[in-house]
Amino acid sequence: MELILKYFPNLTEDQIDKFSKLSALYHDWNLKINVVSRKDIDELYLRHVLHSLAIAKVITFKNGAKIMDVGTGGGFPGIPLAILFPECDFHLVDSIAKKLKVVNEVVEGLKLDNVETTHSRVEEINDAYYDFIISRAVAAMPTFVHWIKGKVAKDQNHELKNGILYLKGGDLTEELQAYETAKIYAISDFYDEAFYETKKVVHLPIKYRG
């Protein structure tokens, strides 16, 4: 928890309480349904929570923003961001039911009323539009762009244009060469820990397709 406060020192008491409860909730549920590796669960705040919050170093979501987390897995990056931005609406989607079981239990345990979940492939979610679509390295960017086609909202309410905010590591040159508008933010510019040396946040604007 000290790690979160190191980089986000202005949290409310409620946010501190929710972030503090994450460890026990995930440790408990991970024993029943394994969604986080044993090594990662012991470093939950470094490898999952703080990593998810790197998106908040790139953008401050405005109240009322709608964000979809595709392939949320155990709830990352959606749950930490939902705690940080309680006035925004988060839609966490995954095609694997057992992972969403854990997500739902964590959401209930934290009483996060700004989170909804859907057990589905993202391509099957229709008639819903989002300011931003977030994810953590679930597919190569061309595949991901195809999955979320037609799901980005028209109205622009942020300094960053509506589109994708993607957590990814390694050399992204080849993967992003077709996307001239993509901007890469090195997470090591925000955090000191060695774990983040090669990790990035990628912002890719996506035009509304009516």
Side-chain angles (χ1 to χ4, degrees):
M1 187 59 219
E2 291 82 4
L3 193 60
I4 306 305
L5 287 169
K6 175 181 176 181
Y7 295 107
F8 296 89
N10 299 317
L11 298 176
T12 66
E13 286 187 17
D14 183 63
Q15 288 170 323
I16 291 171
D17 179 60
K18 285 182 166 64
F19 278 123
S20 297
K21 287 176 177 174
L22 281 177
S23 181
L25 282 167
Y26 275 106
H27 273 82
D28 181 43
W29 276 99
N30 212 56
L31 291 172
K32 304 168 189 173
I33 304 172
N34 186 255
V35 294
V36 179
S37 73
R38 181 163 293 172
K39 183 177 181 180
D40 280 5
I41 201 75
D42 290 337
E43 296 190 75
L44 184 76
Y45 289 99
L46 174 70
R47 293 173 174 263
H48 294 280
V49 182
L50 193 61
H51 190 203
S52 299
L53 294 176
I55 287 174
K57 293 296 185 181
V58 172
I59 186 171
T60 299
F61 293 126
K62 293 187 177 180
N63 291 355
K66 295 185 180 301
I67 299 114
M68 177 164 65
D69 178 4
V70 174
T72 190
F76 304 103
I79 285 177
L81 289 169
I83 296 172
L84 194 64
F85 298 105
E87 301 302 321
C88 298
D89 295 321
F90 287 84
H91 185 186
L92 278 51
V93 178
D94 205 286
S95 61
I96 300 174
K98 73 171 187 176
K99 291 183 178 181
L100 279 184
K101 167 72 172 171
V102 174
V103 171
N104 286 330
E105 294 295 343
V106 172
V107 167
E108 186 175 324
L110 296 177
K111 296 180 171 59
L112 279 177
D113 58 8
N114 62 331
V115 174
E116 68 168 313
T117 64
T118 300
H119 173 220
S120 173
R121 290 162 55 93
V122 66
E123 307 97 304
E124 295 165 0
I125 293 174
N126 299 309
D127 302 319
Y129 301 95
Y130 304 88
D131 299 287
F132 292 96
I133 297 176
I134 60 175
S135 191
R136 190 163 66 156
V138 295
M141 189 63 84
T143 301
F144 192 75
V145 169
H146 176 71
W147 285 353
I148 59 94
K149 187 177 180 181
K151 294 175 174 59
V152 175
K154 182 178 182 179
D155 292 340
Q156 304 277 343
N157 298 307
H158 296 77
E159 288 185 19
L160 285 186
K161 290 184 178 178
N162 292 0
I164 294 168
L165 288 163
Y166 211 52
L167 293 166
K168 195 116 186 195
D171 186 353
L172 304 176
T173 308
E174 185 174 338
E175 184 174 334
L176 297 177
Q177 64 182 355
Y179 304 102
E180 294 180 2
T181 57
K183 183 167 183 181
I184 300 172
Y185 299 85
I187 298 179
S188 58
D189 288 345
F190 313 127
Y191 301 154
D192 300 332
E193 287 71 21
F195 176 73
Y196 296 106
E197 283 178 5
T198 63
K199 292 183 166 44
K200 320 281 197 315
V201 178
V202 180
H203 171 237
L204 179 61
I206 300 288
K207 289 184 179 178
Y208 170 78
R209 306 288 184 197

